[in-house]
Amino acid sequence: MESTRQKKISRLLQREISEIFMREAKSLTLGTMVTVSKVRISPDLGLARAYISIFPTGKRDEVYSEIEAHTSGIRRHLGMRVGKQLRVVPNLQFFVDDSLDYIDNIDRLLKD
């Protein structure tokens, strides 16, 4: 069960990481659209798991490996943005959110 503080920080991190992907880290996205669908933060606020959707899905593996390789730079940009609001900037882990693909697959199966 997430506390109110965890929920607030998760929303803040989701918004700021999305802004980073749109502005500072455009080179990492390789011309794709990267959205942060959810951020979950640990109870000690030391680890944030960000779930990202990558569209179009053709370059998903390339973009994900670029993001993974530059996680420390993304965390540095995040620290510059939320440094006044958080005492410690959490470590970041990125996961590919494939729920949109799952929904698309179900729709396609139901239409047949």
Side-chain angles (χ1 to χ4, degrees):
M1 187 78 188
E2 281 187 313
S3 68
T4 305
R5 180 169 173 81
Q6 284 175 291
K7 289 177 186 176
K8 285 181 181 179
I9 291 175
S10 292
R11 285 191 303 265
L12 172 70
L13 293 178
Q14 180 180 3
R15 185 176 346 110
E16 295 300 332
I17 293 171
S18 296
E19 288 286 323
I20 289 170
F21 282 136
M22 285 185 350
R23 296 208 165 82
E24 282 94 12
K26 267 189 177 175
S27 63
L28 299 179
T29 61
L30 304 175
T32 60
M33 183 175 74
V34 176
T35 57
V36 181
S37 57
K38 183 129 181 111
V39 174
R40 294 188 184 266
I41 191 147
S42 63
D44 66 349
L45 308 178
L47 176 66
R49 292 181 179 96
Y51 296 89
I52 56 174
S53 296
I54 301 168
F55 184 79
T57 58
K59 294 184 179 180
R60 176 185 293 166
D61 296 331
E62 293 175 53
V63 173
Y64 180 70
S65 63
E66 280 292 314
I67 290 171
E68 279 290 308
H70 294 89
T71 301
S72 61
I74 296 170
R75 183 173 183 249
R76 185 176 62 248
H77 284 295
L78 184 63
M80 287 188 275
R81 289 174 163 265
V82 299
K84 303 286 185 197
Q85 297 163 338
L86 298 177
R87 184 178 302 164
V88 176
V89 178
N91 290 325
L92 298 174
Q93 286 183 341
F94 291 100
F95 298 96
V96 175
D97 183 15
D98 58 353
S99 60
L100 293 177
D101 293 336
Y102 180 75
I103 292 169
D104 186 46
N105 186 29
I106 295 295
D107 284 343
R108 191 169 24 87
L109 290 172
L110 290 174
K111 287 180 182 177
D112 290 342

